[in-house]
Amino acid sequence: MTLESRYNVLEALLAKTKDEKINWEVGPLSESFYSKIGDNSVAIRQVRDDFHLIIYNADGDVVEEISDPEFSNDGRPGAFNLMKNLFISAKRNALGTDRIVSSILDELEKK
């Protein structure tokens, strides 16, 4: 898998998450979110000031992990914002933020 294809995976994950075509769950590690994609899965994780994309095979083994500095070092300075946006979108999806905000707004309108 080339760095370009990993970047394409990030872009596709963000687009599909924003289109609500991917469901995310809270991951087992701190500040991580996980999604099953076919037989495999991915996770996005924040570690201090960096973001990491982790790819798992069908057996749950880590087959790839890449961080935003690796993309930046390869001439993709926009990777940090891409990974940050994916992390935020995955978090909102996993925690049901939109549903909760909508519920709060509904309740406030009743008062």
Side-chain angles (χ1 to χ4, degrees), residues 16-65:
K16 296 295 182 183
T17 300
K18 286 185 173 185
D19 289 343
E20 299 181 357
K21 298 195 184 247
I22 296 178
N23 292 316
W24 291 87
E25 301 174 21
V26 174
L29 302 173
S30 173
E31 292 298 310
S32 69
F33 300 94
Y34 162 91
S35 183
K36 187 127 173 86
I37 311 291
D39 291 334
N40 306 296
S41 56
V42 295
I44 186 77
R45 182 170 186 224
Q46 183 174 10
V47 180
R48 291 181 288 288
D49 294 333
D50 295 326
F51 294 95
H52 295 250
L53 174 69
I54 306 159
I55 301 172
Y56 300 89
N57 66 15
D59 295 326
D61 300 321
V62 173
V63 295
E64 186 75 35
E65 181 171 354

